[in-house]
Amino acid sequence: MQRGRGSCRSARSHAVGSPAGVCSGESDPPRRTRRGPRQGRRPPLAPVPSGIGQPLFLARVSQEALEQRREKHRLRLAQGLLWSHSVRSRRAVVALAVALNLRTFLRLQPHSHGQVGLHLPNIGSKRAWDVARLQQLDTSFLEQGDVSTPTPEQVEKLKEVAGLSVDGAGPEHLAVLAFLYLYLSICRKQRALPSLDIVVWSELPTGAGLGSSAAYSVCLAAALLTACEDIPNPQKDGAPSSRWAKDDLELINKWAFQGERVIHGNPSGVDNAVSTWGGALRYQQGKISALQRPPTLQILLTNTKVPRSTKALVAGVRSRLLKFPEIVAPLLTSIDAISLECERVLGDMAVAATPEQYLVLEELIDMNQHHLNALGVGHASLDRLCQVTMAHGLHSKLTGAGGGGCGITLLKPDLERAEVEATKQALTGCGFDCWETSIGAPGVSVHSAASLAGPVRQALGGL
């Protein structure tokens, strides 16, 4: 993609992918940088029509199966291997987060009709704002540094701008607030706010505890930063997908974290980091670093459709820890050891995976699930999921907050196709939704429109 007259241009259609967890896991680990959005004047984006063979932005995101967490220390192996609550213990627990290869896609199309539009087909939302009106608004409340942290006062002002009710907190409400925050914050240094349309579509349902909000925030940050030329577009002619440079990914991650703060208040930053960098990350004492990329493990991801409250589940574990410290503390220590052992096995599998290593992972999955049940975050629906898959010789555990929600099942490479289909049929027969996917996916990327499947192009507006 080449820039021309202030717009992002290309000889052919392409997709700008900013997946939550879609960057190559072979990249270097994220590092600290003082770099913020570049200063100086830039011309506004020129109008760009849609359609194959015409310039446009698309963003593609791989959602990581990480429950949104608000506790300072909570242990988990994301996207389906190991996860646990660790409730403000004094121990420096380790969390392993792995990207899930189910995607969220974003298409950004500049134009000249004087509006900025946001279309979220998954939740049936379509909104538009007059750019001239937004331009006249007092956005000084956003002038707090290059990558600013949204304050409660800023969020309340954004509600007024969006025309949202003060007490609203549904998925659409929060998605709109995050979009406006990132759009106004990133684009406010343009001579004029850009006129554009954004469509975001996901392969997974929202609110399933799978980190869809992080995928959404990473998509928005990457697409808007690229459109406003804060970072270059990495798309190369003829390449189906391309990734941003390390410093650019760091900036995407910083802005995505602010979007997550608008949505969740006080997130850990793990979800958006996995969404940006992909592969596997380690989280310990607030520090995030990349691990050697594990092999791409095939899994079944199952949604029990049982609603759960993360806040209530975390409070329950904390209560149990205070009530039975000599029982629960060893459980947390054991879960930490399971996570560390899993990290070691995944590291070995990155070199050369063996059948014995898959057997070890299955044992770790079983032990972790039993520990989580002992902590009180299990559910009858998750027990049923484990029973059904065990009947087919497969091993499963919850992922996310527990108490319902989703679970994952490890699929070994030598598993017969007929057995996988039989397991999926048995799970859907229980009323669950089931997807066959993989973990260890790359992070945020730019994709050509031609590289996207037909249903995805259709969902994004018939590319």
Side-chain angles (χ1 to χ4, degrees):
M1 179 173 77
Q2 300 173 340
R3 295 189 188 90
R5 300 188 300 280
S7 65
C8 293
R9 314 287 296 180
S10 75
R12 58 180 60 82
S13 289
H14 61 272
V16 174
S18 57
V22 183
C23 85
S24 171
E26 319 219 331
S27 64
D28 294 327
R31 59 187 176 85
R32 293 175 178 249
T33 174
R34 300 188 181 205
R35 179 169 170 261
R38 294 180 184 128
Q39 309 294 321
R41 291 186 354 179
R42 290 181 294 274
L45 290 172
V48 181
S50 65
I52 287 294
Q54 298 172 334
L56 51 83
F57 274 117
L58 288 174
R60 177 176 180 173
V61 211
S62 158
Q63 304 184 103
E64 85 289 9
L66 287 175
E67 163 267 339
Q68 304 299 331
R69 61 185 187 177
R70 298 170 184 269
E71 293 300 314
K72 181 178 179 182
H73 298 299
R74 199 183 299 168
L75 171 65
R76 63 190 151 183
L77 171 55
Q79 266 56 296
L81 289 185
L82 306 171
W83 181 95
S84 86
H85 293 261
S86 158
V87 194
R88 293 192 181 280
S89 65
R90 295 182 180 180
R91 305 183 66 250
V93 297
V94 174
L96 301 181
V98 185
L100 175 68
N101 196 26
L102 287 173
R103 311 280 179 169
T104 291
F105 301 84
L106 183 152
R107 174 191 182 186
L108 186 156
Q109 182 184 357
H111 53 63
S112 60
H113 61 37
Q115 288 191 323
V116 56
L118 178 65
H119 184 198
L120 307 173
N122 290 92
I123 57 176
S125 173
K126 193 169 187 178
R127 291 175 176 261
W129 298 268
D130 185 74
V131 170
R133 176 178 172 272
L134 293 177
Q135 192 77 47
Q136 295 170 359
L137 292 173
D138 178 11
T139 58
S140 60
F141 65 93
L142 296 174
E143 303 277 351
Q144 294 188 4
D146 287 331
V147 182
S148 58
T149 300
T151 65
E153 293 75 21
Q154 290 175 338
V155 174
E156 291 305 311
K157 287 183 179 291
L158 284 174
K159 290 179 182 178
E160 296 178 13
V161 172
L164 298 171
S165 61
V166 176
D167 56 351
E172 179 188 13
H173 180 106
L174 296 172
V176 167
L177 286 179
F179 165 71
L180 283 176
Y181 181 81
L182 292 173
Y183 172 75
L184 293 173
S185 297
I186 292 172
C187 302
R188 60 187 164 83
K189 293 175 184 175
Q190 299 272 309
R191 288 186 304 184
L193 289 174
S195 178
L196 49 85
D197 281 324
I198 283 181
V199 181
V200 185
W201 177 80
S202 176
E203 292 178 328
L204 282 177
T206 59
L210 297 172
S212 59
S213 69
Y216 174 73
S217 295
V218 172
C219 269
L220 288 174
L224 290 170
L225 286 167
T226 304
C228 292
E229 301 184 7
D230 280 313
I231 57 177
N233 191 313
Q235 182 70 10
K236 298 177 177 62
D237 287 343
S241 65
S242 303
R243 296 181 49 247
W244 282 269
K246 191 187 333 181
D247 284 353
D248 299 328
L249 290 171
E250 183 69 31
L251 187 58
I252 290 169
N253 186 49
K254 285 183 177 181
W255 278 114
F257 184 45
Q258 305 315 319
E260 280 282 83
R261 282 180 161 175
V262 171
I263 295 172
H264 295 290
N266 186 31
S268 67
V270 172
D271 290 10
N272 51 274
V274 174
S275 298
T276 301
W277 296 93
L281 302 179
R282 163 195 273 260
Y283 177 86
Q284 186 174 25
Q285 291 184 306
K287 297 180 180 179
I288 300 173
S289 58
L291 301 179
Q292 183 180 14
R293 186 177 179 182
T296 300
L297 302 177
Q298 300 299 312
I299 65 166
L300 292 180
L301 175 67
T302 303
N303 185 5
T304 67
K305 302 190 222 178
V306 174
R308 76 282 180 278
S309 167
T310 299
K311 183 177 180 180
L313 288 161
V314 172
V317 176
R318 185 190 305 111
S319 174
R320 188 166 290 195
L321 175 61
L322 294 174
K323 186 176 182 179
F324 305 108
E326 294 184 358
I327 298 173
V328 176
L331 281 174
L332 297 175
T333 300
S334 180
I335 289 171
D336 195 15
I338 292 171
S339 184
L340 291 172
E341 176 64 12
C342 185
E343 179 183 353
R344 185 194 66 77
V345 174
L346 290 176
D348 292 343
M349 294 178 75
V351 178
T354 66
E356 291 74 22
Q357 290 165 336
Y358 277 94
L359 293 175
V360 172
L361 286 182
E362 289 180 334
E363 287 188 82
L364 295 174
I365 286 173
D366 289 344
M367 288 189 289
N368 189 241
Q369 178 63 18
H370 291 312
H371 280 63
L372 295 172
N373 276 331
L375 288 179
V377 296
H379 189 271
S381 63
L382 294 166
D383 290 341
R384 180 60 180 154
L385 186 162
C386 292
Q387 291 166 1
V388 169
T389 57
M390 184 60 73
H392 292 268
L394 305 179
H395 300 254
S396 305
K397 66 169 296 295
L398 67 85
T399 187
C406 294
I408 63 98
T409 304
L410 182 64
L411 302 178
K412 293 188 291 189
D414 59 354
L415 190 61
E416 294 289 338
R417 185 74 238 165
E419 198 63 57
V420 175
E421 294 301 324
T423 304
K424 290 166 64 176
Q425 185 174 358
L427 290 169
T428 55
C430 295
F432 303 152
D433 287 338
C434 188
W435 298 268
E436 188 174 349
T437 184
S438 61
I439 60 174
V444 56
S445 308
V446 180
H447 298 261
S448 67
S451 71
L452 303 179
V456 176
R457 295 199 300 269
Q458 181 80 20
L460 293 173
L463 295 177

